[in-house]
Amino acid sequence: MQDNKQCNGCEQALNLLLKKAKDDKVETVWGRALAMQPQCGFGEMGVCCTNCSMGPCRIVKISPDGPKKGVCGATEDTMAARNLARSIAAGSAAHSDHGRDIAEALLNFVKQKRPIKDKEKLKLLAEEWGIKSCDDDTENLVAKVAKTALDEFGKPFGHLRFVERAPKKRKDIWESMNVVPRAIDREIVEVLHSTHMGCDADYRNIMNAAVRAALSDGWGGSMIGTELSDILFGTPAPHEVEANLGVLKEDSVNIVIHGHEPTLSEAMVIAVNDPEMIEMAKKQGAESINLVGMCCTGNEISMRHGIPMAGNFFQQELAIVTGAVEAMVVDVQCIMPSLSQLAKCYHTKLITTSCKAKIPGAIHIEFDEIKSIECAKKIVQEAVINFKNRTGNLLIPKEKSKGKVGYSVEAIIKTLDGVTNTFAHPSGTVKPLVDAIKSGVVRGAAAIVGCNNHRVPYDKCHVELARELIKNDVLVVTTGCGAHACIKAGLMSDDAVKLAGKGLATACGLLKIPPVLHMGSCVDISRILHLVSMVANYMDVDIKDLPIAAAAPEWMSEKALSIGTYAVASGIYVVLGVSPQVTGSENLTKYLTSDMEDIYGGRFDIEPDALKAAGKIINHIENKRKALQI
């Protein structure tokens, strides 16, 4: 286990709250991780199987004695591949179910005759999908787009519509490998079927199914979630927000909204600004109601409404430890079950809202999209009346930072238009970015995404990697918990240009952007796929030919495995800071870190040291530049 060091700007706040947690005699993720040591070696290597009741079976790798096959005869390759594929399918399911919920929300907006925020994006998506529109019938168009999106989950024929955004050379590779995603649910079901006891035992074939399920996430469920969220709630544009737990206010009712889906958080934004709710808070002795965002919900509402970003995955418990949170409101994904017990040690109310994610000990207020504002007000009322129950055991760290968020693909294109010579070239293209890369002013680009994990120093890996890359003129884009880490460290501020290399600093100065661009939540990695496809199509090359890379230095979830797999299968070099649980199979490990490059042009690499990871990414980018002769 590593130490708790993180970015310089955040370390003091972290240490303060860890000390308070110790003084208050409450446990956190760090203490539980320590108590878990040593962790199961069979599980770490992926050679434990519980797929049938003849097991659990495990394969002994460290000595010549002990079983080398499961009771059914499954080898280490079969076990490790099955386990990995099932995790990838689960990650794809989580992202894609999020996308389905957004599509259903879009349909509900029509039924309730509620306005959408981005009609232009609706028309462009309808045109892309071949849906005819009439300018004066937005409701009909919204309904058609929503139903078409929902069909992507279970249609019996054809392939996913967003696959057409990929370059032709990429689609040819997918077709040759028979991994073009058909319908989202079908790909996830097929992985679960093929990895059932007595089915697929060929690790390569198992991984083919897993790749197709992952692609159905990146080029399907996640992309649907992103595009339709923009249509519903507005396409993000750059603006400044505050970040870190210092955004909590001592004199206000603090509500932390945590999870992933924007339907709940959008309703909460409306509810906390309702005069009736504000007046109720004042009657309880508070100055106002302070809504802040945690994890990917924090990304969602910061980039559309400027709501402060309280923190990432490892800060959810620390927010409650401050003693200043009246309610933590959660929906789905990355919510620690420990929160309900922790909340009882303070006055915080933990409120679950999704039938998919209930936690014993929490208050459950089911979120109803049809009555979204009423539900949100009920939740806010719970928080407001809880203000009087605050004790004097408060510690809100002073540390907070500022940075720019909201670089959607549309916002990036608009920014690039600002330096386009419109007399010579059309606007609305990625030409200025391509020119900067070709000239070498910007050497390439890297995505830093993912979670927090006790196996590596908290936040430090995100921040050190980003700093080293921008110092070497590599533009960084980021989402999810990586984005929280970067904004807390000041890397999304205009001042961060001082940390960039001369070339990148020049480009950032011209475009008036920070060297690390915030592109949203974890489903919004689909924005990155869209952008690299636009660049590849403009340069008439495949994605694998571009001087780009990706990294997940602190990943931990099944969603991250799905993301990494669809990125590799899209032709991207992906560096992981934490090894997947596959090392018990030398063949599968080699497949992921070497063979996939021969097939897809992308591969996984494992490097826990952030500076070494940066070196590998820079070498990869320079090799791609040489191949392109730029």
Side-chain angles (χ1 to χ4, degrees):
M1 181 139 127
Q2 304 286 337
D3 59 28
N4 294 332
K5 291 179 182 175
Q6 59 156 10
C7 66
N8 291 334
C10 317
E11 195 168 6
Q12 189 175 355
L14 174 72
N15 290 337
L16 271 176
L17 289 171
L18 286 178
K19 181 179 182 305
K20 184 173 188 295
K22 186 177 179 182
D23 292 344
D24 293 347
K25 294 182 173 49
V26 298
E27 66 176 29
T28 66
V29 62
W30 283 280
R32 292 191 297 274
L34 191 62
M36 192 61 66
Q37 305 307 311
Q39 291 182 270
C40 172
F42 297 108
E44 283 190 340
M45 291 191 289
V47 288
C48 176
C49 180
T50 59
N51 283 18
C52 80
S53 66
M54 292 193 294
C57 297
R58 83 280 186 211
I59 290 175
V60 174
K61 296 285 293 182
I62 58 174
S63 79
D65 300 325
K68 304 303 176 190
K69 292 180 181 177
V71 173
C72 71
T75 65
E76 60 197 35
D77 296 338
T78 304
M79 283 189 190
R82 278 179 183 167
N83 293 338
L84 177 62
R86 286 187 163 224
S87 291
I88 291 169
S92 180
H95 274 155
S96 298
D97 209 33
H98 173 157
R100 189 200 324 260
D101 286 346
I102 299 298
E104 289 178 343
L106 185 62
L107 200 55
N108 283 332
F109 262 52
V110 179
K111 293 175 182 175
Q112 298 172 73
K113 298 188 180 301
R114 293 170 61 186
I116 59 168
K117 289 284 180 65
D118 196 336
K119 291 182 181 179
E120 183 60 29
K121 186 154 187 168
L122 171 73
K123 290 178 182 176
L124 289 173
L125 183 59
E127 184 179 337
E128 181 180 340
W129 282 356
I131 299 170
K132 293 182 179 178
S133 65
C134 296
D135 288 341
D136 58 349
D137 194 356
T138 300
E139 283 186 13
N140 186 38
L141 189 60
V142 170
K144 285 183 178 179
V145 167
K147 288 175 182 175
T148 302
L150 288 168
D151 283 344
E152 293 293 274
F153 290 85
K155 63 186 181 185
F157 306 110
H159 61 253
L160 297 183
R161 291 171 182 271
F162 282 134
V163 165
E164 295 305 319
R165 289 183 171 182
K168 182 179 182 308
K169 292 176 182 176
R170 179 61 20 194
K171 288 184 286 187
D172 289 344
I173 290 171
W174 291 342
E175 285 173 6
S176 71
M177 292 302 297
N178 192 28
V179 296
V180 180
R182 297 157 295 186
I184 297 163
D185 289 352
R186 177 177 182 177
E187 307 308 355
I188 294 165
V189 166
E190 190 160 305
V191 168
L192 296 179
H193 178 191
S194 66
T195 56
H196 185 275
M197 187 272 158
C199 283
D200 204 342
D202 181 338
Y203 74 94
R204 283 179 168 266
N205 202 47
I206 291 170
M207 285 310 301
N208 262 24
V211 162
R212 196 160 49 201
L215 289 171
S216 78
D217 170 0
W219 297 86
S222 283
M223 206 166 274
I224 287 172
T226 294
E227 298 294 291
L228 300 195
S229 291
D230 286 353
I231 290 170
L232 271 170
F233 306 120
T235 301
H239 58 271
E240 192 174 71
V241 300
E242 290 186 325
N244 211 345
L245 287 171
V247 300
L248 296 173
K249 295 180 179 177
E250 189 169 343
D251 61 1
S252 299
V253 174
N254 289 304
I255 302 175
V256 180
I257 181 88
H258 171 25
H260 282 75
E261 294 184 3
T263 43
L264 168 67
S265 53
E266 289 286 329
M268 289 292 292
V269 171
I270 295 171
V272 298
N273 287 298
D274 185 289
E276 181 188 356
M277 295 293 106
I278 295 171
E279 184 59 29
M280 183 184 297
K282 289 183 176 178
K283 286 181 179 176
Q284 295 293 322
E287 284 295 316
S288 63
I289 303 172
N290 182 37
L291 181 69
V292 299
M294 182 70 66
C295 284
C296 277
T297 290
N299 286 304
E300 293 278 358
I301 54 175
S302 72
M303 65 183 176
R304 293 198 177 90
H305 299 285
I307 301 294
M309 298 164 67
N312 52 13
F313 180 61
F314 267 16
Q315 286 177 285
Q316 57 187 290
E317 291 178 316
L318 299 181
I320 293 177
V321 170
T322 64
V325 174
E326 273 59 55
M328 180 169 283
V329 186
V330 302
D331 55 13
V332 292
Q333 301 171 24
C334 302
I335 300 150
M336 291 187 186
S338 64
L339 292 182
S340 64
Q341 292 304 309
L342 183 65
K344 288 178 181 175
C345 299
Y346 300 90
H347 76 300
T348 306
K349 291 185 178 180
L350 176 67
I351 301 175
T352 55
T353 61
S354 170
C355 61
K356 300 171 190 171
K358 294 184 179 180
I359 300 175
I363 299 168
H364 186 76
I365 300 176
E366 189 98 4
F367 182 67
D368 181 352
E369 283 174 13
I370 304 297
K371 301 176 181 175
S372 59
I373 307 303
E374 291 175 42
C375 285
K377 284 184 178 179
K378 186 176 179 183
I379 292 167
V380 173
Q381 285 174 3
E382 288 284 340
V384 168
I385 60 175
N386 195 29
F387 183 76
K388 64 178 182 293
N389 295 323
R390 245 191 220 183
T391 67
N393 185 18
L394 254 67
L395 178 59
I396 300 176
K398 295 179 181 177
E399 286 75 17
K400 57 183 176 181
S401 59
K402 289 183 178 179
K404 287 182 177 175
V405 299
Y407 285 93
S408 58
V409 173
E410 292 82 354
I412 290 173
I413 297 296
K414 187 176 180 181
T415 301
L416 294 173
D417 282 348
V419 295
T420 298
N421 180 353
T422 53
F423 292 103
H425 305 289
S427 58
T429 76
V430 293
K431 182 180 186 303
L433 176 59
V434 171
D435 288 347
I437 292 173
K438 281 185 174 179
S439 70
V441 171
V442 175
R443 306 303 294 174
I448 299 179
V449 303
C451 331
N452 301 133
N453 193 318
H454 69 89
R455 294 175 184 273
V456 291
Y458 167 55
D459 273 356
K460 184 179 179 182
C461 299
H462 291 295
V463 173
E464 278 196 355
L465 178 57
R467 281 175 177 265
E468 190 67 13
L469 291 174
I470 64 174
K471 188 175 80 176
N472 286 276
D473 292 325
V474 175
L475 178 69
V476 170
V477 296
T478 183
T479 65
C481 289
H484 280 273
C486 288
I487 193 170
K488 286 185 292 181
L491 298 179
M492 293 182 196
S493 68
D494 290 337
D495 285 347
V497 169
K498 297 172 186 171
L499 303 173
K502 188 176 179 181
L504 180 60
T506 301
C508 290
L510 286 171
L511 293 167
K512 297 182 176 60
I513 60 172
V516 177
L517 299 183
H518 174 272
M519 293 192 74
S521 62
C522 56
V523 294
D524 293 331
I525 295 171
S526 62
R527 296 190 200 274
I528 301 173
L529 285 181
H530 191 192
L531 182 62
V532 298
S533 292
M534 292 173 74
V535 172
N537 284 326
Y538 189 88
M539 295 176 70
D540 194 24
V541 298
D542 186 16
I543 294 172
K544 71 178 176 61
D545 300 319
L546 298 175
I548 61 171
E554 302 182 27
W555 78 274
M556 63 85 198
S557 75
E558 291 167 317
K559 293 184 298 176
L561 283 174
S562 178
I563 293 166
T565 303
Y566 73 60
V568 166
S570 298
I572 299 172
Y573 171 61
V574 176
V575 182
L576 303 176
V578 177
S579 174
Q581 292 151 351
V582 298
T583 54
S585 165
E586 286 81 4
N587 284 327
L588 179 60
T589 302
K590 178 177 174 295
Y591 179 82
L592 297 169
T593 58
S594 176
D595 297 354
M596 286 189 84
E597 187 167 32
D598 297 331
I599 301 168
Y600 298 106
R603 69 179 177 92
F604 287 102
D605 202 346
I606 314 297
E607 181 50 71
D609 185 293
L611 295 181
K612 290 179 181 176
K616 288 183 174 185
I617 288 172
I618 292 166
N619 285 339
H620 173 80
I621 285 174
E622 292 302 322
N623 287 335
K624 290 296 179 182
R625 293 186 63 86
K626 286 177 185 174
L628 284 170
Q629 298 182 332
I630 59 175

